[in-house]
Amino acid sequence: SLGAFERICRYIAKKCNSVVVSVGYRLSPEHPYPGQYFDCLSATLYFMRNLEEYHVDPALIIISGDSCGANFATVICQILLNKRDLPKVRAQVLLYPGLQGLDFHLPSYQQNASVPILFRKLVIYFCFRYLNKKPVFLEDVVQNCHVPESMKLKYKKWVSADIIPDEFKTRGYVPQKFTSYKPEVHEAIKEILAIPFSPLLAEDSIISQLPESYILTCEFDVLRDDGLLYKKRLEDNGVPVTWYHSERGFHGILAFFGYGAISFSSGKKIMDNIVNYINSL
């Protein structure tokens, strides 16, 4: 709900003595992909070109988002590397980010496939709807039939269960058996393999230039391993990463922050950890 976002923004603004700008990007399916990225980019560029108006220190710009918004934040940070006329972003704060559409059989996708509020099939359904396409071939996409073998091999060094630390495989992870590539499935949803949708697949030359990063992952979240893989990619490229893992957290837990009786203590710990990180910069 918008109320939850407002509470989070107000909390950060107050606790960090910061200016917080929240982008009300247009939503799909009424406003088709990739308009959302352009909305976020336009708002970011306007803000960064008018910092004096907002009384913001150009050396302390942080770009942040949660879930899908964390995907936008990641992509925006990558795009901004080409904008030499703008201040350098100080940090990116990514809260349970979704960063790739290559592998829906990572340990977190298996372990949390039926954990509320974000089911594995729901992620894929949202991908189709977000792209303004009929949600066909859901089962095939679950099995990764949309990815050509050449692409699986190319990105195995970056997106693979083999890279996920063993402690995250204890809850019944089973390595995926071979599944055949289906060109018609690829054609139906190929956009999710492009960089704007899967910024985890950006080249090292991009990743190595990114700002210091904060990544939140939650144990009971299908997107947990996206965050773990991006953390490793950043660290392998010399980018400092502060990682916070909520062992009891689930996807969307911050939406309940500040709701009194139905808020979660884990959510409060996450928010305080984020605030401490921002204040440390």
Side-chain angles (χ1 to χ4, degrees):
S1 70
L2 286 174
F5 286 119
E6 188 174 327
R7 274 194 306 279
I8 291 169
C9 290
R10 286 180 181 275
Y11 190 81
I12 291 174
K14 183 180 177 184
K15 294 287 185 179
C16 301
N17 191 26
S18 302
V19 173
V20 177
V21 177
S22 180
V23 183
Y25 56 84
R26 292 168 296 173
L27 304 177
S28 65
E30 293 81 10
H31 300 280
Y33 167 88
Q36 294 75 21
Y37 293 95
F38 294 127
D39 287 354
C40 290
L41 180 61
S42 296
T44 304
L45 293 176
Y46 178 85
F47 176 69
M48 293 179 77
R49 286 170 179 152
N50 294 275
L51 293 175
E52 284 186 19
E53 186 183 329
Y54 296 96
H55 306 289
V56 168
D57 184 344
L60 288 174
I61 297 167
I62 299 168
I63 294 182
S64 177
D66 75 314
S67 191
C68 187
N71 174 287
F72 297 159
T74 304
V75 175
I76 297 303
C77 279
Q78 293 182 3
I79 292 172
L80 288 175
L81 296 175
N82 295 319
K83 306 287 184 182
R84 304 294 182 189
D85 57 322
L86 295 173
K88 212 173 173 187
V89 174
R90 178 66 180 85
Q92 55 178 354
V93 174
L94 310 175
L95 313 177
Y96 33 73
L99 301 171
Q100 59 86 32
L102 187 86
D103 190 348
F104 294 106
H105 256 268
L106 291 169
S108 62
Y109 267 110
Q110 287 190 32
Q111 295 161 337
N112 304 309
S114 302
V115 174
I117 56 176
L118 191 63
F119 307 121
R120 173 164 61 177
K121 286 184 181 176
L122 196 58
V123 172
I124 298 166
Y125 173 81
F126 284 154
C127 288
F128 275 106
R129 296 298 294 131
Y130 185 48
L131 295 171
N132 242 359
K133 297 187 176 189
K134 292 180 180 176
V136 292
F137 303 122
L138 272 175
E139 291 295 338
D140 287 317
V141 177
V142 166
Q143 298 302 324
N144 295 332
C145 297
H146 63 299
V147 187
E149 284 306 311
S150 59
M151 191 174 266
K152 284 181 184 176
L153 286 170
K154 179 181 179 181
Y155 292 121
K156 196 171 194 291
K157 59 186 175 181
W158 296 337
V159 182
S160 168
D162 297 339
I163 309 169
I164 302 296
D166 288 342
E167 63 261 32
F168 293 103
K169 298 176 185 174
T170 54
R171 286 193 291 123
Y173 164 67
V174 179
Q176 187 186 16
K177 293 175 182 173
F178 178 80
T179 55
S180 58
Y181 166 61
K182 297 182 179 179
E184 68 276 16
V185 180
H186 172 76
E187 194 59 36
I189 199 166
K190 62 186 177 185
E191 288 90 343
I192 71 170
L193 299 171
I195 300 298
F197 216 102
S198 294
L200 182 55
L201 306 182
E203 293 297 323
D204 284 341
S205 57
I206 299 291
I207 302 292
S208 61
Q209 298 180 66
L210 289 168
E212 178 182 332
S213 305
Y214 175 101
I215 296 177
L216 163 71
T217 54
C218 290
E219 180 60 31
F220 299 100
D221 179 9
V222 286
L223 302 183
R224 180 197 71 202
D225 293 351
D226 284 25
L228 294 177
L229 293 174
Y230 201 52
K231 169 183 178 286
K232 184 176 190 310
R233 286 221 57 206
L234 289 163
E235 290 173 339
D236 287 351
N237 281 277
V239 178
V241 178
T242 298
W243 171 53
Y244 182 81
H245 182 66
S246 176
E247 293 183 353
R248 294 185 177 183
F250 56 89
H251 191 83
I253 189 171
L254 294 181
F256 299 92
F257 174 72
Y259 259 123
I262 63 165
S263 63
F264 296 85
S265 59
S266 296
K268 177 70 164 60
K269 287 178 184 174
I270 290 168
M271 283 304 305
D272 288 342
N273 192 266
I274 294 165
V275 163
N276 289 340
Y277 173 75
I278 292 172
N279 284 335
S280 74
L281 296 175

